[in-house]
């Protein structure tokens, strides 16, 4: 096959292999030893350059003018440089670093180099653009640009196993030939980042495994706090680039797979660790600003996890789920002692939370009983309708169109802060030497609710009823023939999901001070709303616990941080979702069933052959 | 195959006792009468075959037995009780079935598939799952033990943790049978259990069905493979154009000329000429590989959800 140099998808990596490529060569035609040296050297140089001055004026945010002290985006490049260097050295086979890369050191090196390159060049271009010209760069800026470029070129020159090319159909017309070649190039390009199945993990003593889990949690907390705390847009974009490629490189190195194997082994410890890390988040923050984002993320994530029972386990596409959050919030608001509530009662939190959950569950049963006889798309449409009915009903219970219950579009406002056992959630508290503000208080309370939802999810999914849900999702006819009362089981899932959403809603009412019908639409710019909730579940991974949590964090954080995009915010969001669904349809954190599937394919291909075929 | 695995909780009905009793079953869809006035009984410890040409109403009759359809006239009784009109209630009553085109829960493991089959024989609800009392753990352990026992019975115990979709075709069939057995049925309905199998797999299935019969479970088989059905069944009923044509042991049915005529697709009142028979036979032979292909394509049906 004569590969034309059609560098259509990969403008920065022109394919120079015009002759039949040798069995193993890189995307860029450089000798492999030179490439490896360039990549590693580039990584080292990037580390060094992070300590230099990149621009002469402090007009660019983050103050990149200081020698010897990296700031802002330089820190990100520094981390990228360190990763590149480490993986570069590991690919040389340096002793002790082999443990870092059970997967493929070369692929990891490529990803790390790309991430560093992306961040560094983004910074350099942003400096030149915002300050008006390349002249604003200090020597450090040029050094980092050259170093990261060298690293990328070197890394892409590393050899990889090219897949067997498809034969060309001689009758193909020019356009078909072009399509064929593009596809071939794309396959080659993907192969450049392929990893081998990681070597079997050495058995660590269990204390070491627990240490690994703690370390992973600490890294996760650090990355999350850093992302949430990024003070300016450039830093957040740089963070996104670096975090994305950094995670990719770690997963190519096989570290992610290994850590997740360890966490799967110690599920309880992982869960406790994750909650301790989340609870530690407010203590890492100096003011309440980011705890606000934290608590909203947590509400969003908890509701998404509840939805995951309905969608991910039982396979019921519910497009009106946010209504149950609204039912919980309105119920709690009505009995909260708010002056605008027609019921002038102030119930304690445990009672209002319980009431919110129970009322939401009743709504779940009332809505579910007629609708759950439908399947698939019809169910989705009907639940969408019921979600809107809730909002419009609440809007009309304003005293003019109906009885005065909810104040219509004004909502129930001035909901007092919670006070549990003398602990005032509205006041600041000194705990362990750090100040915990209002939102941080609610964050800790919400964390308990999240914990409850996680436990409910875990326990129900791993039981007779959870298996029945999955069976119904997989094949309803067969499930019925196995003696499962499909309607009943689905109604339980629906009611349980509604109940958990109501529970979250009862906290949400207090966090937001006010509940209005506008908060509970199908689609809205700010999560949580039904569309975003479903997106969080699908994006994160259906049927998993950590999936919706991660998905919700990303879906909240990215739009919130990218507000400078203005009108294009939802557009960018949509494009991101489309890309993700195209390249990772199973979600960021795939379900165990799918993982098992991949595992089977890798391990026992003989099992896949069908005797009858 | 370990055939002597005891089943403690299925009280084997006394031999000869009527398990399934269909009386005057008629099923009409609008103007079309798919099944007309069929009487049919299955006794415990018996393997009964139901055959008939395509479109004879076998599947409709089958669906009447499994609660998917309610007969327009007549009634179906299982151990003296009229069948409830819902398929999950029929299963709970003690009739389990397999499907013509395999319907396993493809993305669940082999063990989980069998555990789903245990659904009607366990009671743990949501509260018990959430609270995880000692009763929950006991019931779960018992279910697992019973499921493993059944997997051993069909010879899949080594593949308990595999995904059902990754099993070879023949083993998927076995798993479907194990899943059906998990509901502790008194009567097992097999819908074309050997479709798409090679002769060796068919023989294994035959042994498996005998082993099930030896456990005291009555078996009703719908099948196209004549050799399989005549080897296997104590009694064979032939359904033609919605009516039961003949019923009896293998020799009786095989020797019945009306059956032969009907099976080749000719109206049975006037016997077909030799020419026509040859023609039909040729057509059937040509159709055979096609039919094989379609049934083989079934396991490839991937539920990518």
């Amino acid at each position: 096959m004569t590969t034309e140099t059609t560098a259509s998808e990969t403008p920065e990596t022109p394919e120079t292999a015009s002759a039949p490529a040798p069995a193993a060569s890189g995307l860029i035609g450089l000798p492999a030893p030179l490439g490896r040296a360039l990549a590693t050297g580039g990584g080292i140089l990037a580390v060094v350059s992070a300590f230099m001055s990149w621009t002469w004026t402090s007009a660019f945010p983050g103050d990149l003018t200081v020698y010897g002290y990296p700031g802002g985006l330089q820190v990100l490049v520094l981390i990228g440089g360190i990763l590149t260097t480490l993986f570069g050295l590991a690919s040389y086979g340096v002793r002790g670093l082999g443990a870092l890369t059970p997967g493929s050191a070369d692929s990891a090196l490529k990803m790390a180099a790309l991430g560093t390159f992306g961040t560094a060049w983004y910074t350099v271009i942003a400096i030149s653009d915002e300050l008006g010209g390349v002249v604003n760069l200090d020597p450090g800026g040029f050094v980092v640009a050259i170093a990261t470029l060298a690293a990328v070129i070197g890394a892409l020159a590393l050899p990889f196993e090219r897949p067997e090319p498809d034969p060309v159909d001689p009758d193909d017309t020019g356009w078909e030939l072009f399509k064929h070649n593009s596809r071939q190039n794309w396959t080659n390009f993907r192969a450049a980042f392929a990893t081998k199945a990681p070597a079997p993990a050495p058995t660590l003593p269990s204390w070491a495994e627990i240490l690994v889990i703690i370390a992973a949690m600490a890294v996760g907390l650090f990355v999350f706090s850093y992302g949430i705390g990024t003070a300016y847009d450039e830093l957040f974009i740089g963070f996104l680039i670096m975090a994305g490629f950094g995670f990719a490189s770690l997963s190519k190195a096989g570290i992610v797979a290994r850590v997740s194997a360890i966490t799967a082994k110690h599920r309880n410890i992982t869960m406790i660790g994750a909650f301790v890390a989340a609870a530690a988040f407010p203590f890492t923050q100096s003011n309440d600003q980011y705890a606000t984002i934290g608590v909203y993320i947590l509400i969003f994530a908890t509701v998404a996890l509840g939805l995951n029972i309905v969608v991910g386990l039982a396979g019921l596409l519910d497009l009106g789920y946010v209504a149950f959050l609204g039912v919980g919030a309105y119920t709690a608001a009505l009995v909260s002692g708010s002056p605008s509530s027609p019921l002038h009662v102030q119930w304690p939190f445990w009672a209002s939370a319980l009431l919110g959950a129970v009322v939401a569950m009743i709504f779940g049963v009332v809505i579910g009983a007629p609708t759950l006889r439908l399947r698939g798309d019809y169910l989705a449409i009907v639940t969408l309708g019921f979600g809107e009915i809730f909002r419009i009903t609440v809007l009309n219970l304003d005293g003019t169109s109906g009885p005065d219950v909810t104040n219509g579009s004004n909502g129930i406002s001035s909901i007092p802060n919670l006070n549990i056992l003398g602990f005032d959630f509205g006041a600041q508290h000194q705990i362990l030497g750090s100040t915990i503000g209002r939102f941080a208080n609610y964050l800790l309370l919400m964390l308990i609710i999240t914990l409850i939802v996680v436990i409910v999810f875990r326990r129900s999914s791993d039981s007779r009823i959870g298996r029945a849900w999955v069976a119904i999702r997989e094949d309803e006819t067969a499930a019925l023939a196995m003696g499962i009362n499909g309607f009943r089981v689905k109604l339980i899932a629906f009611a349980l999901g509604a109940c958990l959403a109501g529970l979250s809603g009862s906290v949400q009412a207090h966090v937001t001070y006010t509940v209005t019908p506008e908060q509970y639409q199908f689609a809205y710019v700010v999560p949580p709303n039904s569309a975003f909730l479903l997106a969080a579940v699908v994006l994160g991974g259906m049927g998993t616990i950590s999936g919706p949590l991660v998905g919700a964090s990303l879906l909240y954080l990215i739009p919130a941080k990218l507000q400078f995009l203005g009108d294009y915010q939802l557009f960018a969001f949509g494009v991101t979702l489309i890309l993700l669904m195209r390249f990772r349809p199973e979600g960021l954190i795939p379900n165990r069933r799918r993982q098992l599937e991949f595992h089977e394919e890798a391990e026992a291909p003989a099992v896949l052959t069908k005797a009858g075929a | 195959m370990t055939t002597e695995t005891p089943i403690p909780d299925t009280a084997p009905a006394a031999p000869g006792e009527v398990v399934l009793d269909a009386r005057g079953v008629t099923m009409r869809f609008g103007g079309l009468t798919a099944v007309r006035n069929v009487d049919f009984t299955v006794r415990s410890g018996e393997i009964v075959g139901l055959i008939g040409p395509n479109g004879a109403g076998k599947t409709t009759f089958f669906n009447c037995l499994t609660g998917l359809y309610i007969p327009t006239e007549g009634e179906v009784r299982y151990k003296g009780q009229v069948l409830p009109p819902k398929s999950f209630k029929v299963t709970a009553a003690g009739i389990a079935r397999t499907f013509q085109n395999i319907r396993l829960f493809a993305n669940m493991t082999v063990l989980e598939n069998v555990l789903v089959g245990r659904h009607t024989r366990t009671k743990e609800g949501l509260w018990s799952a959430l609270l995880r009392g000692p009763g929950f753990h006991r019931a779960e352990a018992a279910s697992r033990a019973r499921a493993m026992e059944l997997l051993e019975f069909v010879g899949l115990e080594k593949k308990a943790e595999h995904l059902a979709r990754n099993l070879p075709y023949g083993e998927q069939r076995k798993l479907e049978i194990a899943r059906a057995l998990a509901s502790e049925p008194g009567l097992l309905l097999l819908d074309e259990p050997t479709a798409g199998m090679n002769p060796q797999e068919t023989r294994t299935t035959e042994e498996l069905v005998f082993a099930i019969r030896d456990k005291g479970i009555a078996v009703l088989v719908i099948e196209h493979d004549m050799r399989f059905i005549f080897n296997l069944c104590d009694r064979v009923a032939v359904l033609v154009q919605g009516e039961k044509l003949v019923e009896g042991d293998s020799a009786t049915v095989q020797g019945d000329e009306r059956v032969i005529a009907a099976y080749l697709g000719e109206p049975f009142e006037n016997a077909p000429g030799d020419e026509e028979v040859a023609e039909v036979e040729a057509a059937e032979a040509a159709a055979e590989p096609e039919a094989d292909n379609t049934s083989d394509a079934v396991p490839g049906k991937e539920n990518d959800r």
Side-chain angles (χ1 to χ4, degrees):
Chain A
M1 178 195 142
T2 54
T3 319
E4 269 88 28
T5 40
T6 48
S8 47
E9 295 100 338
T10 58
E12 79 276 17
T13 58
E15 278 222 43
T16 44
S18 53
S25 70
L27 283 171
I28 294 175
L30 283 179
L34 178 61
R36 206 177 295 280
L38 261 182
T40 317
I44 297 171
L45 199 54
V47 171
V48 173
S49 69
F51 290 92
M52 298 168 74
S53 162
W54 288 10
T55 174
W56 61 274
T57 162
S58 54
F60 189 77
D63 195 4
L64 309 180
T65 63
V66 190
Y67 275 88
Y69 188 80
L73 284 156
Q74 287 174 323
V75 177
L76 293 170
V77 173
L78 173 65
I79 293 171
I82 292 173
L83 273 182
T84 313
T85 312
L86 280 180
F87 288 136
L89 291 177
S91 76
Y92 273 115
V94 175
R95 279 174 59 89
L97 288 177
L100 266 182
T101 54
S104 160
D106 282 5
S107 297
L109 177 57
K110 284 170 194 165
M111 279 295 176
L114 275 177
T116 322
F117 171 79
T119 319
W121 278 67
Y122 169 74
T123 315
V124 168
I125 291 170
I127 292 174
S128 315
D129 180 48
E130 285 175 35
L131 304 182
V134 184
V135 69
N136 291 296
L137 291 177
D138 260 5
F142 290 109
V143 172
V144 76
I146 293 164
T148 52
L149 183 64
V152 156
I153 292 175
L156 292 179
L158 291 179
F160 62 93
E161 270 180 47
R162 281 168 193 275
E164 201 65 36
D166 281 340
V168 183
D169 184 349
D171 298 338
D172 276 356
T173 58
W175 170 243
E176 280 166 343
L177 209 59
F178 171 75
K179 278 204 297 190
H180 180 271
N181 281 341
S182 323
R183 197 165 52 235
Q184 202 63 52
N185 289 337
W186 176 238
T187 324
N188 268 340
F189 183 68
R190 296 226 323 203
F193 297 97
T195 56
K196 307 182 293 285
T203 44
L204 292 170
S206 54
W207 59 265
E209 293 190 333
I210 290 166
L211 277 184
V212 168
I213 293 174
I214 292 172
M217 292 300 158
V219 169
L221 174 66
F222 175 75
V223 171
F224 183 74
S225 328
Y226 188 89
I228 222 174
T230 47
Y232 43 97
D233 301 335
E234 289 85 354
L235 188 57
F236 185 70
I237 291 181
F239 166 75
L240 276 188
I241 298 174
M242 198 58 239
F245 278 104
F247 185 79
S249 82
L250 289 182
S251 90
K252 293 290 177 195
I255 295 176
V256 173
R258 188 143 295 179
V259 170
S260 60
I262 292 176
T263 52
K265 207 163 133 192
H266 302 276
R267 285 178 66 188
N268 286 325
I269 292 170
T270 308
M271 208 170 85
I272 294 166
F275 276 92
V276 170
F281 170 71
F283 298 95
T284 64
Q285 301 294 317
S286 49
N287 63 24
D288 220 19
Q289 184 191 351
Y290 299 125
T292 318
I293 299 182
V295 70
Y296 284 124
I297 289 179
L298 211 50
I299 292 172
F300 181 28
T302 309
V303 182
L305 189 55
L307 179 63
N308 204 13
I309 293 183
V310 182
V311 176
L313 289 183
L316 308 167
L317 189 53
D318 185 351
L319 291 182
Y321 190 67
V322 83
F324 300 123
L325 180 72
V327 170
Y330 264 97
T331 312
L334 284 174
V335 298
S336 67
S338 152
S340 50
S341 154
L343 313 170
H344 298 286
V345 291
Q346 183 161 11
W347 287 21
F349 173 68
W350 63 266
S352 65
L354 214 58
L355 186 73
V358 168
V359 172
M361 188 173 77
I362 292 170
F363 267 79
V365 173
V366 168
I367 292 174
T371 56
L372 287 177
R373 297 172 199 282
L374 301 169
R375 289 192 192 185
D377 305 350
Y378 304 102
L379 178 69
I381 292 166
V382 173
T383 50
L384 171 63
F386 270 104
E388 288 298 285
I389 287 173
F390 164 77
R391 187 176 64 84
I392 292 163
T393 309
V394 167
L395 200 58
N396 285 333
L397 294 179
D398 57 354
T400 50
S401 315
D404 185 12
V405 183
T406 62
N407 281 334
S409 56
N410 292 326
I412 298 173
S413 53
S414 328
I415 299 168
N417 279 308
L418 287 172
N419 192 327
I420 300 177
L421 303 174
F423 185 89
D424 183 6
F425 278 73
Q428 290 196 345
H429 295 268
Q430 290 287 332
I431 301 174
L432 301 174
S434 45
T435 312
I436 296 298
R438 175 178 184 272
F439 285 104
N441 293 333
Y442 281 113
L443 184 104
L444 296 176
L445 175 67
M446 200 56 219
L447 209 52
I448 296 174
I449 306 281
T450 312
L451 185 64
I452 293 173
V453 177
V454 166
I455 290 176
V456 167
F457 186 98
R458 247 184 72 177
R459 294 199 157 177
S460 59
S461 71
D462 179 26
S463 71
R464 170 175 174 267
I465 194 99
R467 285 192 295 268
W469 286 336
V470 178
I472 289 274
R473 188 191 66 197
E474 293 269 322
D475 187 335
E476 189 158 352
T477 312
L480 288 176
M482 287 305 112
I484 294 171
N485 185 342
F487 177 68
R488 191 185 136 87
V489 165
K490 285 196 277 186
L491 193 60
I492 291 175
F494 209 72
L496 182 66
C499 174
L500 296 177
L503 190 63
S504 312
S506 62
V507 179
Q508 192 215 21
H510 291 277
V511 177
T512 55
Y513 295 113
T514 310
V515 288
T516 57
E518 268 56 53
Q519 290 168 323
Y520 307 106
Q521 296 183 10
F522 168 68
Y524 193 49
V525 207
V526 185
N529 54 60
S530 296
F532 268 63
L533 284 169
L534 196 65
V537 169
V538 175
L539 173 71
M542 290 204 276
T544 59
I545 291 177
S546 43
L549 301 182
V550 171
S553 313
L554 289 179
L555 281 187
Y556 192 92
L557 211 51
I558 293 176
K561 285 286 180 181
L562 293 184
Q563 268 172 3
F564 65 93
L565 285 178
D567 291 346
Y568 295 103
Q569 192 188 330
L570 277 178
F571 171 72
F573 172 64
V575 169
T576 320
L577 273 191
I578 291 173
L579 288 179
L580 263 161
M581 285 303 101
R582 167 63 185 81
F583 293 109
R584 208 173 164 89
E586 72 271 33
L588 294 175
I589 299 173
N591 187 330
R592 178 183 64 91
R593 297 190 191 287
R594 286 187 182 272
Q595 274 176 341
L596 195 64
E597 203 175 305
F598 296 137
H599 179 70
E600 289 270 334
E601 275 168 15
E603 200 187 43
V607 179
L608 286 170
T609 57
K610 291 188 170 58
Chain B
M1 201 173 302
T2 52
T3 51
E4 55 280 330
T5 329
I7 298 188
D9 29 2
T10 333
E17 184 199 330
V18 174
V19 178
L20 183 83
D21 187 11
R23 281 183 213 154
V25 171
T26 302
M27 188 74 210
R28 288 198 196 91
F29 300 101
L32 178 83
T33 309
V35 176
R36 183 178 297 131
N37 199 21
V38 173
D39 293 327
F40 191 70
T41 54
V42 180
R43 295 191 180 78
S44 65
E46 208 178 22
I47 302 175
V48 182
L50 184 62
I51 59 172
N54 287 336
K58 296 187 303 286
T59 306
T60 308
F61 184 64
F62 204 78
N63 285 341
C64 288
L65 300 186
T66 51
L68 260 95
Y69 297 154
I70 307 157
T72 324
E73 283 165 31
E75 58 178 21
V76 184
R77 284 171 181 273
Y78 174 74
K79 290 191 176 165
Q81 301 289 316
V82 177
L83 278 189
K86 288 260 167 57
S87 65
F88 66 86
K89 286 183 184 160
V90 170
T91 312
I95 300 182
R97 68 169 294 185
T98 65
F99 292 88
Q100 183 177 352
N101 42 359
I102 299 178
R103 302 190 82 145
L104 287 170
F105 306 119
N107 289 321
M108 299 177 91
T109 65
V110 169
L111 181 66
E112 282 172 327
N113 266 280
V114 183
L115 284 174
V116 169
R118 297 278 311 157
H119 190 89
T120 50
R121 300 294 171 248
T122 43
K123 288 197 174 51
E124 279 61 44
L126 182 64
W127 285 115
S128 138
L130 294 185
L131 299 176
R132 297 265 148 132
F136 174 83
H137 291 290
R138 226 175 8 244
E140 197 78 342
S143 277
R144 268 164 209 279
R146 178 79 185 110
M148 281 312 290
E149 210 174 278
L150 283 167
L151 285 180
E152 260 170 54
F153 176 70
V154 298
L156 285 176
E157 73 277 9
K158 288 209 177 65
K159 298 207 166 169
E161 295 304 325
H162 286 227
L163 280 193
R165 68 191 311 157
N166 290 347
L167 290 185
Y169 184 72
E171 292 186 352
Q172 295 200 0
R173 285 271 180 215
K174 284 182 183 172
L175 176 56
E176 240 201 342
I177 292 175
R179 186 180 68 175
L181 287 177
S183 67
E184 315 288 357
L187 172 66
L188 180 64
L189 307 181
L190 300 176
D191 196 351
E192 300 202 18
T194 68
M197 282 188 172
N198 62 32
Q200 196 191 341
E201 286 170 323
T202 306
R203 217 157 30 243
T204 329
T205 309
E206 214 173 278
E207 281 166 28
L208 184 60
V209 175
F210 281 132
I212 292 168
R213 195 259 318 265
D214 293 343
K215 282 162 161 261
I217 299 170
V219 183
L220 171 60
V221 190
I222 292 187
E223 189 49 82
H224 276 305
D225 185 338
M226 288 302 153
R227 189 179 303 163
F228 174 73
I229 218 106
F230 290 129
N231 275 346
L232 190 72
C233 298
D234 305 318
R235 207 144 49 78
V236 178
V238 185
L239 216 57
V240 175
Q241 292 179 354
E243 285 178 90
K244 193 167 79 176
L245 189 63
V246 65
E247 186 177 349
D249 61 13
S250 305
T252 321
V253 174
Q254 265 174 310
D256 196 304
E257 279 187 6
R258 287 175 303 168
V259 174
I260 298 166
Y263 223 82
L264 295 174
E266 288 293 323
F268 53 88
E269 293 89 36
N270 33 11
D274 287 346
E275 237 173 73
E276 284 163 306
V277 171
E279 202 177 298
V280 171
E281 260 171 342
E284 284 208 337
E288 201 73 73
E290 243 175 71
D292 275 0
N293 284 342
T294 49
S295 51
D296 280 358
V298 169
K301 175 201 75 146
E302 309 275 332
N303 295 341
D304 263 8
R305 276 173 294 168

